[in-house]
Amino acid sequence: MKQKEEAIELDGVISAVLAGTMFRVKLKNGHEVLAHISGKMRKRFIRLVIGDNVKIEMSPYDMDKARIVYRL
C-alpha cells in the first residue's frame, strides 16, 4: 500500500483577515496562500489578527491553500 502524502509545514505571517475565518498568509519566501483555522484552534477559540506569526500545513497537491495549525 502507498503511504498518505505528508503535509508540508511552513511558517508565515497573517497579512489579511477575510470572511468566514479565512486568512491570507504571507510565507517567508514571499508566496501568499489562503488559509483557514484548524478545528482544534476553533474549539479553543484561538484568536488571530494581522501580524501574528503562524505555523501552517499545506498539501503537496495544492500549494495555494493551507490550514493554520499553531500561532507562534
Side-chain angles (χ1 to χ4, degrees), residues 11-14 28 48-55 68 70-72:
D11 293 336
V13 177
I14 294 179
K28 305 272 185 196
L48 298 171
V49 294
I50 295 174
D52 280 348
N53 291 321
V54 292
K55 183 179 288 189
I68 299 172
Y70 195 78
R71 183 179 70 190
L72 301 173

Side-chain angles (χ1 to χ4, degrees), residues 2-45:
K2 289 182 82 175
Q3 289 272 356
K4 185 176 177 182
E5 291 290 329
E6 293 293 322
I8 301 167
E9 287 192 358
L10 298 168
D11 293 336
V13 177
I14 294 179
S15 60
V17 179
L18 306 172
T21 64
M22 299 292 280
F23 298 89
R24 187 80 53 197
V25 178
K26 188 167 185 96
L27 304 177
K28 305 272 185 196
N29 61 6
H31 190 71
E32 269 197 334
V33 296
L34 185 65
H36 66 276
I37 302 176
S38 69
K40 286 188 178 186
M41 288 184 70
R42 283 183 199 215
K43 186 177 178 183
R44 300 286 182 199
F45 298 106

